[in-house]
Amino acid sequence: MSYVNPPEFVTKMIDAGENKAFMSTRDTVIRAYMAGAILALAAAFAVTITVQTGNPLLGAVLFPVGFCMLYLLGFDLLTGVFTLVPLALLDKRRGVTVRSMLRNWSLVFVGNFAGAFTVAVMMAVILTYGFTVDPNEVGQRLGEIGSSRTVGYAEHGAAGMLTLFIRGVLCNWMVSTGVVAAMMSTSVSGKVIAMWMPIMLFFYMGFEHSIVNMFLFPSGLMLGGDFSVADYLIWNEIPTVIGNLVGGLAFVGLTLYATHARTGSDWNRPAAPEEFKLPAEANA
């Protein structure tokens, strides 16, 4: 599997964040567009498998194929840049600023949405023969997902919003773990195996992924889902984005950075004996 030690792959994480902060607008948008489109196709694939087999676990087991493909092709998801780019800023890499970080996030968001929405339109056309017939069973399921995960939360008020937010946090805890896990190996097989496990977990557990939802909810609206654009934005996408940011950065990026890039060993090391300390003047 060609394992890479944590201090080494954390350095790779910081380097990746720096590279993304400086990436051109053209490249950032293209890579984000393709990532959103591929992940949307994987979501459509997983929903189709679940409906046709009646086995949600099988859909979850096969969903990570899309994530692995987009990662190996060098494309970018918002959930990944939420975790990586802030590390370059925290590490004080030259030229990386809050503005460049926010620019990257904004461009990746736009690109991801455009890619996911493109696939949503294509799937809606396929499932309705160009909107000339009612959606088939898969299309109906997509509409139901959109309703249950928007107005379904709204029915519970603040408790529903809290649940949505925490599902967003847990989602990117797992997704960003998949991003980082791919850096633990130098072989393709090792990267795929390491990515597969946390991505499968998030999908099966029903956690909220902002880019997957960029496909599920627009397609659900086109396929007869009983919810509105406002429901989608307020009761899913916006809280999910915030939850994804908190989950990826707090539970993956910052924790790994704090213990492998900026360790606490100096704080725990006993003070040197008095006779070995330099005079105060020598430290001036």
Side-chain angles (χ1 to χ4, degrees):
M1 188 172 173
S2 305
Y3 177 66
V4 178
N5 290 322
E8 296 178 64
F9 72 68
V10 171
T11 299
K12 288 185 176 184
M13 291 169 62
I14 301 168
D15 292 341
E18 181 181 15
N19 291 336
K20 294 177 192 306
F22 291 125
M23 194 179 299
S24 70
T25 298
R26 169 185 173 275
D27 290 341
T28 302
V29 172
I30 290 173
R31 295 181 190 191
Y33 178 90
M34 292 305 300
I38 291 173
L39 200 68
L41 283 167
F45 174 54
V47 172
T48 301
I49 291 169
T50 299
V51 169
Q52 293 182 350
T53 65
N55 187 346
L57 179 59
L58 186 57
V61 167
L62 295 175
F63 169 75
V65 65
F67 184 87
C68 294
M69 287 171 58
L70 70 89
Y71 181 91
L72 293 173
L73 289 167
F75 299 146
D76 288 325
L77 291 173
L78 184 65
T79 43
V81 297
F82 272 166
T83 301
L84 299 176
V85 179
L87 299 186
L89 180 65
L90 190 63
D91 205 55
K92 299 180 180 178
R93 294 294 178 93
R94 181 174 296 180
V96 180
T97 63
V98 172
R99 181 178 179 179
S100 64
M101 179 182 71
L102 294 177
R103 168 187 168 274
N104 173 264
W105 288 357
S106 300
L107 291 173
V108 172
F109 180 93
V110 170
N112 284 169
F113 184 84
F117 185 77
T118 299
V119 173
V121 173
M122 290 179 173
M123 289 303 301
V125 169
I126 290 172
L127 296 172
T128 61
Y129 283 86
F131 303 102
T132 61
V133 300
D134 291 335
N136 64 11
E137 193 176 359
V138 174
Q140 292 171 17
R141 179 59 184 146
L142 288 170
E144 291 167 3
I145 291 171
S147 299
S148 65
R149 288 165 66 171
T150 51
V151 294
Y153 289 122
E155 290 173 357
H156 297 279
M161 185 64 75
L162 177 62
T163 301
L164 169 58
F165 171 76
I166 292 177
R167 282 184 171 178
V169 170
L170 291 170
C171 171
N172 207 24
W173 188 346
M174 290 296 96
V175 173
S176 290
T177 297
V179 171
V180 172
M183 299 180 184
M184 297 177 185
S185 175
T186 57
S187 69
V188 173
S189 59
K191 289 177 183 292
V192 169
I193 292 169
M195 283 188 280
W196 207 280
M197 294 179 285
I199 303 304
M200 177 179 63
L201 188 157
F202 111 72
F203 196 85
Y204 184 72
M205 293 296 291
F207 297 153
E208 298 286 352
H209 191 282
S210 53
I211 292 83
V212 171
N213 292 350
M214 291 174 184
F215 161 73
L216 291 175
F217 294 90
S219 61
L221 282 168
M222 288 182 277
L223 294 166
D226 188 18
F227 62 101
S228 67
V229 173
D231 290 330
Y232 160 55
L233 293 175
I234 297 171
W235 287 100
N236 194 282
E237 191 63 37
I238 294 172
T240 297
V241 168
I242 297 170
N244 287 170
L245 171 60
V246 172
L249 187 55
F251 292 101
V252 182
L254 292 181
T255 51
L256 287 169
Y257 182 85
T259 194
H260 290 304
R262 293 288 181 269
T263 67
S265 58
D266 289 338
W267 295 96
N268 299 323
R269 190 176 294 122
E274 202 62 42
E275 62 268 22
F276 292 109
K277 291 183 178 179
L278 292 173
E281 296 81 0
N283 293 325

